[in-house]
Amino acid sequence: MKTDEGKLIDIEMQNSALTKEVHYRFQIYGARMIDHQVNRGDLLYSENVHEVYTILFVNDIDRDNLLLIDTYMPRNQLNHVRKYNLLTHHNIYLPFIDAVVREKGLKNLSKIELAIYTLYHGITDDIMALNSEVVIMMKEKMDQFNEDEELVLAASKRQLVKIQHHQEKVRIRQEGKEEGELLKAKENTLMLFKSKYPQEDILMLENLTLSQYNEIFKALIENKDLQIIKEMIK
C-alpha cells in the first residue's frame, strides 16, 4: 500500500515460526521495494524514492528479545540511525500480546495493542464490550470483506492453494524418506545375503518391497533355510 505522504508499506501475516528463511525473505522484500522505485540513469533520487516500511505479523515469539513490536533500522557503531533512512522493518510477535494483557489489562491497551489483540484472538464479546473505535473499525472492515463475494472467493482459493502446496511438500518429503529407507534396506539385505550365500544369484533380490527386504534381512539374521527365504521372495 501507499500512504498519502508517498510512503510504501508491505504487510504480511505469517502463521508460522519466524525462521531464517523468513528473515531473509523480508529483507529482500524491503530492498526490492526500494530498488523498484529507481530507474537506470536517474540523477535525482530524492525526487523519486519514498520511504519503505515492511511489517510482519508472525505467530511466534523471539525468546531472545521479548517484545511485542520489534523495529529494525540501519544504525552505526554509535547506535545512531542512518541519516535519510529509507527502510524500516517491524516484526510484530502476535502471541506476546497475551503477556501485555496480563500486565496491563484489556481495558488499558493502546490502540495498536488492541488492534494486535483483535488480530490474534478475533472479534470476541469481551473485545466488543470495550466499544473502542479501533475494534469498531476492524469489525466494519471484516464485515465489508465478508460481504464481498469476490474477495471471500479469492481468499478461499488462496488458502486452498497454500494447503495443496503444503500437502505436496509433505508428500515429496515422505516419498524421499521412503525411497531412502528402501535403498538402505535393500543394500543391507544384499550385503548379508552375499556373505551367507556367495554362490546364489542375487538378481532374485531386485525390485522387492521395503517389507520384503526387512523380512528377508530378519530371516538371514536368524539363519533361516535358503528355501524359506526364496519362498518369501516369491
Side-chain angles (χ1 to χ4, degrees):
M1 59 168 286
K2 188 174 184 178
T3 68
D4 293 338
E5 297 82 16
K7 297 177 181 179
L8 303 177
I9 304 177
D10 180 42
I11 306 172
E12 181 169 331
M13 299 192 74
Q14 188 79 18
N15 190 24
S16 66
L18 187 53
T19 62
K20 179 174 70 174
E21 286 71 22
V22 176
H23 276 291
Y24 284 168
R25 191 167 85 235
F26 273 85
Q27 290 181 73
I28 292 170
Y29 282 178
R32 188 178 296 157
M33 289 172 68
I34 292 176
D35 179 65
H36 283 180
Q37 300 180 64
V38 181
N39 298 312
R40 186 181 297 273
D42 285 346
L43 298 178
L44 297 176
Y45 286 166
S46 60
E47 294 184 0
N48 303 320
V49 180
H50 300 282
E51 292 177 72
V52 167
Y53 296 84
T54 55
I55 306 173
L56 173 63
F57 293 85
V58 63
N59 191 18
D60 196 5
I61 292 177
D62 184 354
R63 305 292 176 181
D64 299 322
N65 198 14
L66 294 175
L67 294 169
L68 176 63
I69 303 175
D70 200 4
T71 300
Y72 295 87
M73 291 178 286
R75 299 173 182 269
N76 66 5
Q77 65 270 33
L78 299 177
N79 205 33
H80 296 157
V81 177
R82 186 174 195 166
K83 290 182 179 179
Y84 310 113
N85 174 49
L86 286 174
L87 179 58
T88 302
H89 173 75
H90 304 281
N91 284 338
I92 299 180
Y93 298 101
L94 291 172
F96 196 77
I97 190 63
D98 288 340
V100 176
V101 171
R102 284 195 297 271
E103 180 180 344
K104 299 176 61 173
L106 194 59
K107 294 181 179 180
N108 299 317
L109 296 181
S110 67
K111 290 183 178 181
I112 185 63
E113 290 169 344
L114 185 56
I116 293 169
Y117 185 89
T118 305
L119 284 171
Y120 188 51
H121 289 285
I123 300 179
T124 58
D125 290 340
D126 57 342
I127 293 175
M128 286 301 299
L130 297 176
N131 199 30
S132 164
E133 60 177 329
V134 173
V135 177
I136 293 172
M137 180 189 68
M138 293 180 73
K139 186 176 186 306
E140 288 176 352
K141 292 293 184 182
M142 185 183 73
D143 290 341
Q144 288 175 15
F145 176 87
N146 289 331
E147 290 170 3
D148 191 321
E149 293 184 4
E150 290 187 6
L151 278 178
V152 173
L153 181 60
S156 299
K157 286 183 176 179
R158 182 174 184 270
Q159 187 64 19
L160 285 174
V161 169
K162 290 177 67 176
I163 292 171
Q164 290 170 354
H165 285 173
H166 174 72
Q167 291 175 339
E168 182 67 11
K169 290 179 181 178
V170 171
R171 183 188 65 79
I172 291 172
R173 285 199 299 267
Q174 185 62 32
E175 288 180 354
K177 179 181 178 182
E178 291 174 355
E179 183 178 355
E181 291 177 349
L182 178 62
L183 291 173
K184 185 176 180 180
K186 177 181 178 181
E187 181 181 335
N188 292 339
T189 302
L190 288 175
M191 189 180 303
L192 187 55
F193 186 86
K194 285 191 289 186
S195 67
K196 285 182 174 291
Y197 306 106
Q199 305 304 320
E200 290 291 330
D201 186 1
I202 62 171
L203 287 177
M204 69 176 78
L205 294 174
E206 290 292 331
N207 300 319
L208 303 181
T209 66
L210 176 61
S211 177
Q212 284 178 302
Y213 283 126
N214 288 336
E215 290 177 4
I216 294 169
F217 185 82
K218 182 180 178 183
L220 290 168
I221 291 290
E222 295 173 352
N223 293 316
K224 294 288 182 66
D225 186 76
L226 177 60
Q227 190 57 39
I228 295 176
I229 293 175
K230 289 182 178 181
E231 288 296 325
M232 293 171 68
I233 294 172
K234 293 179 183 179

